[in-house]
């Protein structure tokens, strides 16, 4: 079990008390083809980007990642979410570890219309928290400019990247 530290100040000293990791995070395994309720991006025609989407994509800056294989990496990456299609509107780069289910908070649950993961990673989005429900997998850079094309617009409530 992973532990986090909670710090308390007691009479001028600091006391570190282990606290359990939040129940909103759990380790997940990437779904495979044939898994129930999983749709794969590769099952759809290639996305055609509008001029607006291409311009917005060119303006995105995401941190570079190393070229090690997925099995060798145990690090952090960004999953950038957008409130509107074509990588526009409100946006936030969500920092996440690989293989960790993250519920969407801060007003993001059920409001995402386009996404952009860090290059070199693959992500899945889930319609229910705790990485349950309908699933859309195989999301790789540059991402998805319009989730309506995949039946997942304003549907995601959790995600995991691998």
């Amino acid at each position: 079990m992973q532990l986090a530290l909670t710090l308390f100040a007691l009479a001028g000293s600091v006391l570190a008390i282990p606290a359990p990791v939040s129940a909103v995070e759990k380790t997940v395994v990437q779904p495979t083809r044939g898994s129930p309720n999983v749709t794969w991006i590769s099952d759809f025609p290639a996305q055609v980007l509008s001029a607006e989407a291409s311009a917005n994509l060119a303006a995105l800056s995401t941190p570079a990642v190393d070229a090690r294989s997925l099995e060798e990496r145990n690090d952090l990456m960004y999953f950038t979410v957008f409130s509107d299609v074509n990588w526009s509107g409100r946006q936030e780069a969500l920092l996440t570890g690989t293989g960790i289910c993250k519920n969407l908070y801060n007003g993001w649950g059920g409001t995402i219309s386009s996404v952009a993961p860090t290059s070199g990673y693959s992500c899945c989005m889930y319609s229910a928290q705790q990485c349950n429900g309908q699933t859309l997998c195989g999301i790789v850079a540059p991402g998805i400019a319009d989730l309506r094309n995949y039946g997942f617009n304003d549907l995601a409530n959790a995600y995991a990247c691998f």
Side-chain angles (χ1 to χ4, degrees):
M1 173 189 233
Q2 292 180 312
L3 296 178
L5 293 179
T6 304
L7 300 177
F8 294 97
L10 292 175
S13 63
V14 176
L15 173 65
I17 299 175
V21 170
S22 170
V24 300
E25 294 182 0
K26 70 176 184 179
T27 302
V28 293
V29 176
Q30 184 173 19
T32 57
R33 285 208 177 272
S35 298
N37 300 318
V38 178
T39 302
W40 289 86
I41 298 300
S42 58
D43 293 339
F44 290 85
Q47 66 181 332
V48 177
L49 300 181
S50 67
E52 176 190 5
S54 295
N56 291 339
L57 179 61
L60 286 179
S61 63
T62 56
V65 295
D66 60 47
R68 292 177 292 155
S69 72
L70 289 174
E71 292 80 23
E72 294 173 329
R73 292 190 308 218
N74 186 13
D75 53 357
L76 300 175
M77 54 84 61
Y78 289 95
F79 188 62
T80 305
V81 295
F82 300 82
S83 62
D84 298 330
V85 299
N86 296 324
W87 299 296
S88 62
R90 178 178 166 231
Q91 74 178 62
E92 186 173 348
L94 305 172
L95 184 63
T96 186
T98 56
I100 303 293
C101 176
K102 301 290 273 190
N103 290 335
L104 290 163
Y105 292 106
N106 197 22
W108 284 111
T111 65
I112 297 171
S113 296
S114 53
V115 295
T118 299
S119 180
Y121 294 85
S122 176
C123 299
C124 296
M125 294 189 311
Y126 302 84
S127 62
Q129 291 194 340
Q130 297 298 316
C131 292
N132 291 304
Q134 186 179 343
T135 306
L136 181 65
C137 280
I139 304 167
V140 296
I144 300 175
D146 190 345
L147 284 166
R148 295 177 297 191
N149 296 333
Y150 302 92
F152 228 81
N153 188 55
D154 295 340
L155 191 60
N157 281 289
Y159 69 96
C161 297
F162 309 91

